[in-house]
Amino acid sequence: MNQQRQDAYLNLIQQLLDCPNGEEGEILAANQGLLDAEFLLVVEAVAKMMSEQDNQDTANWLRNLGNELAKGLNLSSNFAYAAQNSEITENIVDIYLKFLLEVLQAMEESKGNKDVVYPLLIANTDKLDNNFAEILWRWATVNLKKAEEKTAEYLATVIGNFCNLISKFPLGDKANNMEIAIIGYEIVLTVFTREAFPNDWARAQNNLGNFYANRILGDKSNNIEKSISTYRNALDVYTVEAFPYEWAVTKNNLGIAYRDRILKDKASNIERSIAALEAALTVRTQDSFPIDWAITQYNLGLAYIERILGDEAKNIEQSITAFQETLRVNTCEAFPIDWAEVQNVLGLAYEERILGDKANNIEQSIAAYKAALTVRTSDDFPIDWSQTQYNLGNAYAQRILGDRANNIEQSIATYEASLTVRTCDAFPIDWTQTQNNLGNAYSQRILGDKVENIETATIAYKKAIDTAELLREQIFSGNEAKKKLAEQWNVSYIGIVQACLELDNIQEAIEYVERSKTRNLVELILERDSKTIFPPEVVTKLEQLRDEIAKGQYQIQNSTTENPKALAEHLQKLRSQRNELQDKYLPVGSGFDFETFQATLDKNTAIIEWYITNTSLETFIITSDNLQRFKLSTSTDKLKAFIDWNNKYLNTYYNNKTKWINNLASHLTQLAEILHIEEILKLIPQNCSHLILIPHRYLHLFPLHALPLSDGGFLCDQFSDGVSYAPSCQLLQQLNLRQRVNFKSLFAIQNPTEDLQYTDLEVEAISSLFTDKEVLSKKQATQTALSQASFQIQQTNYLHFSCHGTFNLISPQNSCLLLAGAVENNKLDLSKCLTLGNLFERDFNLNQCRLVVLSACETGLIDFKNTSDEYIGLPSGLLYAGSSSVVSSLWTVNDLSTSFLTIKFIQNLKNVEDISVPVALNQAQTWLRDATKEDLQEWASNLPLDSTKKGKIRRQLKNTTVEKPFKSPFHWAAFTAVGK
């Protein structure tokens, strides 16, 4: 770079270092012309100098700035890593530059002939690394900028062709090869812009999308987002009218990317995938492009088998149809490998089939797997063979026809055969999954000694759990396939818990209970909090460990390492190192140590934690110095009684609200008896004044704090320091670390749909208690306004939503709070709501937030159908976003009673010194429950409201016919306090 440009870069860096905190964005916006790859290199050079001068804070700040700018400039994270490579010397530059020029010359002279270029790469595989990527970027940045237009175009074409070759190069480090290809195409796109070269630009965008889709390093979810973005870019040029073939190719690629997508709502992603693939088939017909047609039919079958929306049975039928269509082209004779792959997935579809005879479906599944194994032999295709053996084991485990004992034996035999290839070293995730299912098979085994079978099953479960937890970042990443794995592996935790309880080892049982619960949310919160708790150098180290593990695992699985056993041992050490590093800063980590957690409990606090196994409803009582299991001889009957009660409750709630309201008190009386709550209370020391409830699965749906007692009181009346909730001990431990200022500022959403009668007075009364406040009222409370207010929200310690809410049972990520314009023509527009998905996808920063109140319907419900022990609902999203407490509702609430309860709750928080959230809420609930009409009228008369609003309240209360208008638990029990 010339001296003038370098001086400009250095001046900009100095401005950034000197500016007040928060004004960096304005300075960068005013200097857009300087924000390029060369600027990032200067940023790193200054950061390195600061490190050498022991000014590590400034160095870290600059490196973080460089990483963020790299993302904004659409540069790969590999470039950001390469820019930070302080080990590169002038000698290394010379060596790599010479090799780069040799490669480019070979590409030019041979016109990209791989038979010429590959031998050169083979002789220099040691140079295909991060240094090469950096030198390529530096050389191209300088030379393309000063080259004449035609020369720059030619060089960009040569670099693009080289990227295509190296992305398919079979030797060297595949991860590094892909990084070089990505950086190369980012270089190409600096020349082939959309404006000047639309066709070349679109081709480069599509290819870059393929590279990101297959990338090994970096965050998987981010890589998929980049691939989707580039495919979309390509389609801006590749229209079906102008470029039908290229359009269809890109649509097919986009369909695959949407199916693999981790972020956003899974149901919507699959719908987008299906739409893109079906669009591709309008061009990729069987007559015109039979092979392409078969590929897209295969992808469509995979999308339908994962589909969430629509009729499940019909989706599976469409999946089967698509796979059978594929077999019309991919015959065993013409394409044996592809034929076997389709047979394998066709077996999966028949295994999940709902229509038709179940026994016959399983037989067809077994037949398909056996057909696949005629090609997928252990000698020719060991990895594919082991996968199909595993699938066959699952089918035998479900088989209805034939002798049950023999089917289980065949299931065990196929799992054990699969494990000869699916070793822990080579395929730890697949090995863990197979060990889990092997444990299931042994636990159900009929032949052999029962005790030995259970012991064998226990060993398999422990192997699965220990490895799964070591691999947790690779497993619990949020996509649908990993979710299914989590649901399957949860059986391992249940099996271990049951075994521990049979041996009366309660502490080990509760540790496995905790290790199973809320795993995905634990990981998400760990990742999120790491950005604020981990020092920057630790974040960098964790990212480096992630990439090194990913590279090594790829090498083992593709047999590209000379000593796989040594590499596997090294990777295990890296995983342990990663976990230890995370656990050093966050207690929510690789495992759960009960005694460490127990030591954090106040002596006046008790916890009741429930856990539902296959055969029992378990209850544990935890205090600072004791752990007890509430044990009944008829635990199986207790579980059955609970399931029957639960089904009746939910059926009434969803189908007859009036009947549900009238019967709510009796429902809760029955639940108290089923749970034996009074007997459990006898096990809690009398000094315990604070109770924390940790439900499990369906129990999260019910107001356990409102369980009635024989003396006429309620559970919440027994504890002067309140009754609160937590999803798990682990999350409770993490939330307790969040230090927040108590209720100094308010940000409120007020009646955005303008159809709630008492919401306005609720927000008006609450906001009068705050001097520092911001209220988005009615039509102002839009999605856009909420986004624009992100800075105010980041500074707020009390966030209040007074609006409509809804829980989406089919697609929990679409559970939402309705904002202005959300309902038009009686249709809900999710793009104008705040959804659970938004909370996890956005940078929704609540790091100063002490409390979020969701004064709306069904905001506390969770995905109770999920079997992976996840806590999925709006409270989890807000805890993830940074709040330490969330108050939300368990049902469709009454507008007036909710307003009264919420106002009284906040009055308690503001007027009583050092009062906790659960105490303030419990006291408000007790007050509302016991208040007479006269009490309520007197209280309302003192609210800071105008005479019109007070008159409205007075008339409403006057019309009530009972002395205590809100005595029913329907009015006071819906709201729960989750968290700190």
Side-chain angles (χ1 to χ4, degrees):
M1 70 187 72
N2 60 44
Q3 187 62 47
Q4 183 179 1
R5 189 78 175 175
Q6 180 173 323
D7 290 344
Y9 290 146
L10 292 172
N11 180 58
L12 175 55
I13 292 172
Q14 191 61 55
Q15 289 182 56
L16 291 168
L17 292 174
D18 293 342
C19 76
N21 187 33
E23 294 184 9
E24 299 90 346
E26 296 179 10
I27 294 174
L28 291 171
N31 291 273
Q32 286 284 341
L34 294 175
L35 304 183
D36 55 20
E38 287 184 335
F39 175 66
L40 297 185
L41 295 175
V42 175
V43 168
E44 174 51 33
V46 174
K48 181 182 177 182
M49 180 182 68
M50 292 295 179
S51 293
E52 293 169 350
Q53 296 175 359
D54 292 330
N55 194 344
Q56 195 60 47
D57 288 343
T58 302
N60 289 335
W61 186 86
L62 284 169
R63 287 191 170 114
N64 288 337
L65 173 67
N67 287 333
E68 291 303 312
L69 288 175
K71 295 176 186 176
L73 293 170
N74 198 30
L75 307 182
S76 75
S77 61
N78 186 30
F79 171 73
Y81 175 77
Q84 293 179 24
N85 186 356
S86 58
E87 301 300 319
I88 193 165
T89 63
E90 289 187 13
N91 183 51
I92 291 176
V93 170
D94 292 339
I95 293 171
Y96 277 84
L97 183 58
K98 179 182 178 182
F99 171 54
L100 169 63
L101 295 177
E102 288 176 359
V103 169
L104 294 178
Q105 183 177 357
M107 286 291 302
E108 181 181 7
E109 292 176 352
S110 70
K111 296 184 179 179
N113 187 334
K114 69 177 183 180
D115 293 334
V116 174
V117 178
Y118 276 4
L120 177 60
L121 300 184
I122 291 170
N124 293 274
T125 54
D126 61 314
K127 297 185 185 69
L128 298 176
D129 56 16
N130 283 315
N131 288 337
F132 182 85
E134 181 178 358
I135 298 305
L136 171 61
W137 183 273
R138 289 184 181 185
W139 180 87
T141 300
V142 172
N143 286 276
L144 290 177
K145 186 175 291 185
K146 67 184 182 182
E148 294 182 358
E149 185 176 337
K150 291 296 181 183
T151 303
E153 294 167 19
Y154 179 73
L155 287 174
T157 301
V158 171
I159 292 171
N161 291 337
F162 168 66
C163 292
N164 295 336
L165 287 183
I166 199 170
S167 69
K168 300 173 184 177
F169 184 53
L171 302 179
D173 187 307
K174 182 66 175 179
N176 286 342
N177 294 346
M178 196 61 70
E179 295 302 292
I180 292 169
I182 289 172
I183 280 185
Y185 258 98
E186 287 172 346
I187 292 169
V188 170
L189 286 167
T190 64
V191 176
F192 292 135
T193 63
R194 179 181 176 182
E195 294 73 21
F197 304 94
N199 295 355
D200 295 316
W201 177 82
R203 187 182 308 111
Q205 291 285 354
N206 184 65
N207 289 346
L208 185 58
N210 293 338
F211 296 156
Y212 273 121
N214 294 291
R215 193 183 189 195
I216 298 168
L217 304 185
D219 178 71
K220 182 67 175 175
S221 61
N222 188 47
N223 290 337
I224 296 173
E225 291 305 301
K226 287 184 177 179
S227 72
I228 289 172
S229 177
T230 55
Y231 292 142
R232 284 172 171 170
N233 288 342
L235 289 170
D236 287 343
V237 173
Y238 283 159
T239 63
V240 66
E241 297 81 11
F243 300 93
Y245 182 78
E246 291 81 0
W247 174 84
V249 168
T250 310
K251 279 287 187 180
N252 179 77
N253 294 341
L254 185 61
I256 296 171
Y258 273 127
R259 192 187 74 235
D260 292 340
R261 196 180 200 184
I262 296 168
L263 301 182
K264 306 289 183 181
D265 173 57
K266 183 64 180 178
S268 298
N269 289 336
I270 294 295
E271 295 307 299
R272 292 188 178 102
S273 174
I274 291 172
L277 294 168
E278 289 182 338
L281 287 172
T282 62
V283 173
R284 296 179 117 175
T285 63
Q286 185 180 3
D287 293 336
S288 301
F289 305 100
I291 295 176
D292 293 338
W293 174 83
I295 290 172
T296 303
Q297 285 286 359
Y298 171 76
N299 291 329
L300 188 61
L302 295 178
Y304 269 117
I305 207 169
E306 289 189 28
R307 194 181 192 196
I308 298 169
L309 302 182
D311 179 70
E312 184 179 1
K314 185 178 179 181
N315 291 336
I316 296 173
E317 294 304 303
Q318 288 181 284
S319 174
I320 291 172
T321 299
F323 291 143
Q324 290 174 335
E325 288 287 279
T326 304
L327 291 173
R328 292 170 60 185
V329 172
N330 290 341
T331 64
C332 185
E333 296 74 21
F335 303 98
I337 297 175
D338 295 331
W339 175 84
E341 169 60 21
V342 177
Q343 289 288 353
N344 183 69
V345 295
L346 189 58
L348 294 173
Y350 274 119
E351 199 174 319
E352 295 189 17
R353 194 181 193 193
I354 297 171
L355 300 183
D357 178 67
K358 181 65 176 176
N360 184 57
N361 290 338
I362 295 297
E363 295 305 303
Q364 288 184 281
S365 175
I366 291 172
Y369 293 139
K370 286 183 174 179
L373 288 171
T374 63
V375 173
R376 292 180 149 191
T377 64
S378 58
D379 292 333
D380 295 333
F381 305 99
I383 296 174
D384 295 335
W385 171 82
S386 66
Q387 181 192 59
T388 304
Q389 287 284 357
Y390 168 80
N391 293 340
L392 185 59
N394 292 342
Y396 273 124
Q398 300 177 60
R399 196 180 193 191
I400 298 169
L401 302 182
D403 179 67
R404 177 63 179 161
N406 184 56
N407 288 338
I408 295 175
E409 295 304 303
Q410 288 184 287
S411 176
I412 290 172
T414 53
Y415 288 143
E416 290 178 338
S418 179
L419 287 170
T420 62
V421 174
R422 285 184 156 192
T423 63
C424 187
D425 291 343
F427 301 94
I429 293 179
D430 294 333
W431 178 86
T432 303
Q433 186 178 357
T434 309
Q435 286 287 353
N436 174 78
N437 289 13
L438 184 62
N440 297 343
Y442 269 109
S443 68
Q444 299 170 22
R445 194 183 191 196
I446 298 169
L447 303 181
D449 181 75
K450 182 66 174 177
V451 174
E452 290 182 2
N453 289 338
I454 294 297
E455 289 177 348
T456 304
T458 301
I459 291 170
Y461 286 144
K462 284 191 174 182
K463 287 179 179 179
I465 289 171
D466 291 345
T467 306
E469 290 182 347
L470 194 63
L471 296 167
R472 69 186 188 278
E473 283 189 351
Q474 294 165 254
I475 296 167
F476 301 107
S477 57
N479 64 32
E480 194 68 16
K482 298 298 175 66
K483 176 185 171 184
K484 288 182 178 180
L485 288 180
E487 291 175 352
Q488 292 176 20
W489 292 342
N490 191 49
V491 177
S492 297
Y493 289 103
I494 292 174
I496 284 288
V497 170
Q498 288 177 323
C500 291
L501 293 176
E502 286 181 16
L503 297 172
D504 206 30
N505 192 336
I506 303 175
Q507 180 169 321
E508 189 174 8
I510 196 69
E511 288 184 340
Y512 277 112
V513 165
E514 273 296 318
R515 286 160 69 175
S516 77
K517 280 187 173 183
T518 64
R519 292 300 305 176
N520 195 43
L521 182 57
V522 164
E523 297 306 324
L524 287 169
I525 287 181
L526 183 148
E527 180 183 359
R528 184 192 184 283
D529 282 5
S530 69
K531 298 172 184 177
T532 58
I533 294 177
F534 289 174
E537 62 271 17
V538 173
V539 175
T540 301
K541 181 63 176 177
L542 289 171
E543 290 173 350
Q544 291 174 355
L545 286 169
R546 176 199 63 198
D547 286 349
E548 190 174 352
I549 290 168
K551 286 171 64 174
Q553 196 59 53
Y554 184 91
Q555 291 170 357
I556 292 175
Q557 292 180 3
N558 291 275
S559 303
T560 59
T561 178
E562 294 180 1
N563 192 336
K565 187 171 181 61
L567 179 56
E569 292 174 354
H570 176 61
L571 293 183
Q572 290 295 83
K573 291 179 181 178
L574 292 181
R575 292 185 182 108
S576 297
Q577 184 181 347
R578 176 200 62 202
N579 291 356
E580 289 170 5
L581 187 57
Q582 289 180 155
D583 294 350
K584 180 179 178 181
Y585 292 90
L586 291 175
V588 180
S590 56
F592 174 77
D593 182 80
F594 176 76
E595 291 181 356
T596 300
F597 167 76
Q598 192 177 32
T600 67
L601 290 179
D602 182 270
K603 66 179 182 179
N604 295 322
T605 296
I607 294 174
I608 302 177
E609 179 161 12
W610 285 275
Y611 189 72
I612 301 171
T613 73
N614 294 326
T615 59
S616 63
L617 174 58
E618 298 293 339
T619 309
F620 303 93
I621 300 96
I622 306 168
T623 59
S624 62
D625 58 2
N626 197 16
L627 168 63
Q628 303 173 76
R629 174 194 180 195
F630 177 69
K631 188 175 181 180
L632 284 177
S633 58
T634 58
S635 58
T636 302
D637 293 339
K638 182 172 71 168
L639 177 60
K640 183 180 183 303
F642 170 65
I643 292 172
D644 292 342
W645 177 90
N646 172 75
N647 291 338
K648 182 179 179 181
Y649 176 96
L650 292 179
N651 181 64
T652 309
Y653 176 76
Y654 284 109
N655 296 304
N656 191 334
K657 279 290 198 306
T658 301
K659 182 179 179 181
W660 171 81
I661 293 172
N662 293 335
N663 293 340
L664 180 58
S666 61
H667 277 313
L668 295 179
T669 298
Q670 293 169 18
L671 181 59
E673 294 172 355
I674 292 170
L675 297 180
H676 295 268
I677 196 66
E678 301 220 37
E679 294 175 59
I680 292 171
L681 288 176
K682 292 176 183 177
L683 299 178
I684 297 177
Q686 290 188 352
N687 66 290
C688 290
S689 55
H690 177 210
L691 179 65
I692 301 172
L693 302 174
I694 301 181
H696 187 214
R697 297 188 61 189
Y698 288 91
L699 279 170
H700 282 289
L701 305 180
F702 313 125
L704 303 177
H705 63 284
L707 292 177
L709 305 177
S710 58
D711 63 1
F714 297 86
L715 181 62
C716 56
D717 299 333
Q718 304 298 307
F719 297 89
S720 58
D721 288 327
V723 176
S724 60
Y725 291 76
S728 68
C729 290
Q730 288 194 81
L731 285 174
L732 178 65
Q733 192 173 359
Q734 176 61 20
L735 295 174
N736 283 337
L737 290 179
R738 293 179 172 176
Q739 301 300 319
R740 302 287 189 263
V741 176
N742 269 346
F743 315 114
K744 299 296 183 183
S745 57
L746 166 71
F747 189 97
I749 297 295
Q750 175 184 337
N751 197 12
T753 52
E754 300 187 61
D755 59 346
L756 293 169
Q757 293 187 47
Y758 297 98
T759 291
D760 292 333
L761 68 86
E762 173 187 313
V763 175
E764 188 175 331
I766 289 173
S767 62
S768 70
L769 300 172
F770 294 83
T771 54
D772 184 358
K773 57 194 173 189
E774 177 77 20
V775 178
L776 290 180
S777 178
K778 298 182 179 178
K779 292 181 180 179
Q780 296 177 331
T782 62
Q783 249 274 13
T784 301
L786 191 65
S787 299
Q788 292 173 343
S790 60
F791 179 77
Q792 294 99 309
I793 293 174
Q794 288 177 25
Q795 308 304 313
T796 296
N797 34 69
Y798 169 36
L799 184 59
H800 186 96
F801 286 88
S802 191
C803 58
H804 284 294
T806 182
F807 179 76
N808 191 317
L809 184 59
I810 297 175
S811 182
Q813 289 288 318
N814 288 336
S815 301
C816 63
L817 299 169
L818 278 63
L819 301 174
V823 179
E824 294 181 3
N825 299 321
N826 293 321
K827 289 185 178 180
L828 180 63
D829 184 351
L830 286 175
S831 68
K832 296 179 180 179
C833 300
L834 178 64
T835 68
L836 175 60
N838 294 151
L839 295 173
F840 283 106
E841 293 156 13
R842 287 184 183 175
D843 184 19
F844 203 80
N845 187 338
L846 300 181
N847 287 341
Q848 301 299 320
C849 192
R850 174 69 180 90
L851 171 67
V852 178
V853 171
L854 303 179
S855 181
C857 298
E858 297 188 338
T859 51
L861 296 184
I862 69 158
D863 181 10
F864 56 85
K865 291 188 175 182
N866 185 289
T867 59
S868 65
D869 280 0
E870 277 309 320
Y871 181 73
I872 303 171
L874 288 168
S876 69
L878 293 160
L879 294 176
Y880 167 74
S883 180
S884 59
S885 296
V886 179
V887 168
S888 55
S889 64
L890 297 174
W891 52 71
T892 303
V893 293
N894 175 270
D895 190 12
L896 179 62
S897 58
T898 296
S899 296
F900 281 11
L901 175 68
T902 307
I903 294 169
K904 184 64 174 179
F905 166 47
I906 302 304
Q907 286 178 337
N908 292 344
L909 283 175
K910 291 292 287 182
N911 297 333
V912 181
E913 188 175 354
D914 295 330
I915 192 172
S916 69
V917 169
V919 170
L921 179 60
N922 291 164
Q923 288 182 357
Q925 291 172 322
T926 301
W927 167 81
L928 185 66
R929 179 186 75 203
D930 296 338
T932 64
K933 286 198 298 184
E934 290 73 18
D935 294 334
L936 293 168
Q937 287 173 339
E938 181 180 355
W939 171 80
S941 68
N942 293 317
L943 291 176
L945 304 173
D946 60 38
S947 57
T948 301
K949 291 186 176 69
K950 288 182 179 180
K952 184 177 181 181
I953 295 173
R954 187 167 53 253
R955 287 190 297 274
Q956 182 67 30
L957 290 173
K958 186 177 181 180
N959 290 334
T960 59
T961 58
V962 293
E963 180 64 17
K964 295 182 179 180
F966 305 126
K967 183 178 181 180
S968 167
F970 166 71
H971 289 290
W972 62 267
F975 286 88
T976 63
V978 179
K980 187 175 179 180

